Amino acid sequence: MRRTDVLVLGAGIVGVATALQIQARGRGVVLVDRRGAGEETSFGNAGLIERASIFPYLFPRDVRALALYAVNGANEARYRLRDLPFFASWLARYWWESGPERALRHAMAVRPLIEHSLSEHEKLMAEAGALGLMRKRGWLKLFRGERTFAAGRAAAEKILPFGLNVALYDQAGLRAVEPALDGVFGAVHYLDPASINDPLALTQSYLDLFERRGGVFLRGDAGTFRPASAGFGVETQQGAVVAREAAVCLGPWADVVTRPLGYGVPLAVKRGYHMHYAPRAALNHPVLDADNGFLLAPMARGIRLTTGAEFARRDAPPDETQVETSETFARKLFPLGKRLDAKPWLGCRPCLPDMLPVIGPAPRHKGLWFNFGHQHHGLTLAASTGRLLAEMMTGEETFADPNPFAITRF
């Protein structure tokens, strides 16, 4: 039996970054996952460290948009009718939490985590020797007509009071920075975010740093996690591990631990797909086609197309509709070459209805901690939420108020 100070469950980007932050404060840490580091949800994201995303993704209030979503007429968000009973109540809570006053309160709660998102990653990347994976060029939000461009400009103006920077481009201005794009009316350039050209490589570089510092990574199933007389235990391929404390960083699988322990967390997923393509021209920034609901990002493997949200059960069979539709739009926007993947990749974004993560202690199990539910911002918030949790676990003064993220809010 292996004993340690802290057991971290989940080796996605959130789990590995959390393990590093705890380890840096003098605790021995064992990290456990059923697969290799970064091979699940963290593998397939758009690679953005979204320093500008103060306001969360909200449930739409626009009647035209709601009508489109109701008939699955919008590529950016689709749902499976047969799965509706599984998430209808969650969607109702999501709508309620997206009301103007509550949404502003949620934005102010997450603001310090967003403000430290890039700087905390840069510290870890510098130690891990991974700064070469990052590009500090921001990203572009593209619009096909004046009506949507006007809405995009208004949304961009809302973040200016927070010291963030944007640039607005007409067609000529956009051609100067992205000459290969076609059919765009205007664009907003969010200048403060950074992007990663290989998210898997970043997670693995963090794991390498964790192991160089003396951390241990083991393969094991979180379904075997149990409270133990000396703290908490889990079974791994190398035997049992027991720790005084444990941190659950399992993303969309957090309920594997929370449900058996009696915590009724309204965790749902927004599924998403990606496909890589050979480039036939240069793409200098990640670009989001706001009107057609997909993103193209230049990656080490090629151009990665990532889709919007699919509301379905976590383990439902794949549905490639969004990939196929997005590819049709994308080929008119940018000269994509052949597909480079045998089939589309599918991942699950873990979401709570208020679009805030759960960070902090388990109220009925002393020594058990949570850090999951990062919605679209797992990569963005991994290092800063890992720091916040590590500060809470070690009794330090926290850089952000942890109360809005407590599991007791549900």
Side-chain angles (χ1 to χ4, degrees):
M1 180 182 295
R2 184 186 295 269
R3 297 184 181 274
T4 189
D5 296 329
V6 180
L7 169 66
V8 175
L9 295 177
I13 187 64
V14 172
V16 180
T18 299
L20 283 171
Q21 297 281 23
I22 297 169
Q23 185 187 57
R25 287 158 175 81
R27 302 289 177 87
V29 183
V30 172
L31 179 66
V32 174
D33 199 296
R34 64 182 181 178
R35 298 189 61 182
E39 292 183 3
E40 293 279 8
T41 305
S42 300
F43 178 81
N45 59 59
L48 296 178
I49 301 177
E50 250 292 46
R51 172 63 185 85
S53 189
I54 297 290
F55 294 93
Y57 287 87
L58 302 177
F59 197 101
R61 290 308 210 244
D62 180 74
V63 174
R64 182 185 307 182
L66 289 172
L68 277 175
Y69 296 144
V71 297
N72 268 334
N75 186 51
E76 66 181 26
R78 292 181 57 84
Y79 70 95
R80 291 194 178 193
L81 183 60
R82 64 178 176 271
D83 288 346
L84 187 58
F86 293 91
F87 55 80
S89 62
W90 186 92
L91 285 175
R93 178 72 180 268
Y94 183 18
W95 175 86
W96 186 78
E97 294 285 0
S98 296
E101 291 185 8
R102 287 177 293 276
L104 180 60
R105 185 165 63 246
H106 301 331
M108 294 305 97
V110 82
R111 177 183 172 184
L113 304 183
I114 293 291
E115 289 178 336
H116 287 79
S117 60
L118 182 53
S119 60
E120 289 298 321
H121 266 301
E122 286 185 295
K123 293 174 188 175
L124 296 181
M125 281 189 268
E127 275 200 77
L131 286 170
L133 298 173
M134 181 173 63
R135 295 168 299 217
K136 299 180 77 171
R137 301 176 185 173
W139 64 277
L140 297 167
K141 193 170 187 178
L142 313 178
F143 303 91
R144 301 305 185 103
E146 172 56 37
R147 183 183 63 84
T148 54
F149 188 30
R153 292 195 301 267
E157 289 169 0
K158 288 176 62 178
I159 70 170
L160 298 180
F162 300 104
L164 295 164
N165 304 283
V166 300
L168 302 177
Y169 301 139
D170 59 13
Q171 290 179 332
L174 180 60
R175 277 195 296 271
V177 295
E178 288 290 357
L181 299 181
D182 190 30
V184 180
F185 181 87
V188 176
H189 189 174
Y190 289 91
L191 297 165
D192 299 279
S195 59
I196 304 299
N197 69 7
D198 191 336
L200 177 61
L202 178 66
T203 307
Q204 291 176 336
S205 73
Y206 282 4
L207 178 66
D208 291 344
L209 173 62
F210 172 72
E211 292 181 321
R212 290 200 302 271
R213 287 178 174 178
V216 176
F217 174 52
L218 302 174
R219 299 291 184 95
D221 188 340
T224 66
F225 177 80
R226 298 288 185 275
S229 58
F232 302 92
V234 70
E235 295 294 328
T236 76
Q237 293 177 5
Q238 292 78 21
V241 177
V242 174
R244 293 197 302 271
E245 296 182 281
V248 178
C249 303
L250 289 166
W253 295 278
D255 59 354
V256 170
V257 170
T258 58
R259 186 181 295 120
L261 294 179
Y263 296 101
V265 186
L267 181 67
V269 299
K270 294 183 184 180
R271 305 203 317 176
Y273 300 80
H274 84 218
M275 172 61 68
H276 290 97
Y277 301 84
R280 296 170 57 194
L283 185 65
N284 301 314
H285 307 78
V287 297
L288 171 66
D289 187 330
D291 292 3
N292 293 311
F294 67 90
L295 185 143
L296 296 178
M299 294 280 177
R301 177 166 169 74
I303 303 298
R304 177 178 290 183
L305 181 153
T306 64
T307 68
E310 180 192 38
F311 291 92
R313 288 175 295 149
R314 182 188 62 203
D315 300 321
D319 178 350
E320 298 182 8
T321 300
Q322 282 177 299
V323 174
E324 299 292 343
T325 303
S326 297
E327 181 178 323
T328 299
F329 287 128
R331 290 191 179 279
K332 297 175 182 177
L333 173 69
F334 180 82
L336 295 174
K338 66 178 182 179
R339 286 188 171 192
L340 299 178
D341 302 324
K343 62 181 181 178
W345 176 88
L346 168 61
C348 299
R349 308 172 182 101
C351 299
L352 285 306
D354 56 6
M355 292 293 107
L356 297 178
V358 169
I359 310 169
R364 297 191 301 276
H365 294 82
K366 182 176 175 58
L368 179 62
W369 303 82
F370 300 126
N371 189 13
F372 65 84
H374 292 65
Q375 38 113 1
H376 298 259
H377 296 316
L379 172 58
T380 296
L381 295 176
S384 59
T385 60
R387 174 185 166 184
L388 179 59
L389 185 69
E391 289 173 344
M392 296 174 73
M393 293 177 69
T394 55
E396 297 178 42
E397 181 179 356
T398 59
F399 77 94
D401 179 6
N403 291 308
F405 312 109
I407 197 169
T408 51
R409 71 186 191 267
F410 298 114

